[in-house]
Amino acid sequence: MKFDPETLVYNDQGLIPAIAQDETGAVLMMAWMNIEAVKRTLETRRVTYWSRSRQAFWIKGETSGHIQRLIDLRVDCDADCLLMIVEQEGPACHTNRRSCFYTSVLEGDAVELMAPMA
Amino acid sequence: MKFDPETLVYNDQGLIPAIAQDETGAVLMMAWMNIEAVKRTLETRRVTYWSRSRQAFWIKGETSGHIQRLIDLRVDCDADCLLMIVEQEGPACHTNRRSCFYTSVLEGDAVELMAPMA
């Protein structure tokens, strides 16, 4: 069956959450896409989000070089969340860490799991 | 540093997205939590979401038995998304599949990657 980005469920701001995971299984980040960002990501295979703060397309890595190449796009059962398997160039996080999820809650404390990449 | 659920960034409905991943690295689902759900999840180690459709707490697996035991809770760099490493009992998806992300977009087609569990 042909995939149609129109069939995805967007929130009242026209956005859908998109999770990026690398090939090792590490979850790198979560950001948002509008329908046009979904289409551009599929067409260009360069992951393109919608920046809510800048209200603009955000081609991941366009300024930093830390691009995400799309390997696979997956849709969840109720079509309101995306999971992308990506090839990540360098760190995904703006703090220079591989993943944005570098803080763990351990016995009530917030603990940093990883250091910024060199 | 002590972790305080008050420091998380909730949306205008008081909710934060929470991604569940199992120990093999498979991303199982994404759902939403309010601050009380975050607290209950940390206290009980049983993953508890907020059901937007039912407007009620949703202790995952309470009726189905397909519970999620919390192994680790992680917070992202801007504190507006959670990643949970969980031990998943049976399928995470209401369609009886291990993961909700069972549909892949391959060369423009929506393709099912996994069958319901027996």
Side-chain angles (χ1 to χ4, degrees), chain B residues 44-58:
Chain B
T44 64
R45 313 301 284 182
R46 284 278 301 272
V47 177
T48 301
Y49 301 100
W50 177 257
S51 167
R52 295 177 300 171
S53 54
R54 290 189 292 110
Q55 288 286 302
F57 290 104
W58 168 26

Side-chain angles (χ1 to χ4, degrees), chain A residues 1 3 21 25 72 104-105 108 110, chain B residues 1 3 21 25 72-73 104 108 110:
Chain A
M1 198 178 70
F3 171 72
Q21 180 180 37
D72 192 16
S104 179
V105 179
Chain B
M1 198 176 71
F3 171 73
Q21 180 180 36
D72 192 14
L73 181 84
S104 178

Side-chain angles (χ1 to χ4, degrees), chain A residues 3 5 10 19 24 29-30 32 35 67 70 93 98 107 115:
Chain A
F3 171 72
Y10 302 89
I19 302 160
T24 72
M29 59 181 285
M30 193 281 270
W32 296 81
I35 189 169
I67 66 171
L70 183 70
C93 184
R98 179 70 180 169
E107 296 177 6

Side-chain angles (χ1 to χ4, degrees), chain A residues 85-116:
Chain A
I85 313 301
V86 303
E87 188 188 337
Q88 170 72 52
E89 199 70 52
C93 184
H94 74 287
T95 67
N96 232 37
R97 289 172 176 87
R98 179 70 180 169
S99 165
C100 294
F101 296 96
Y102 58 82
T103 304
S104 179
V105 179
L106 291 173
E107 296 177 6
D109 288 323
V111 176
E112 282 198 15
L113 296 178
M114 64 190 89

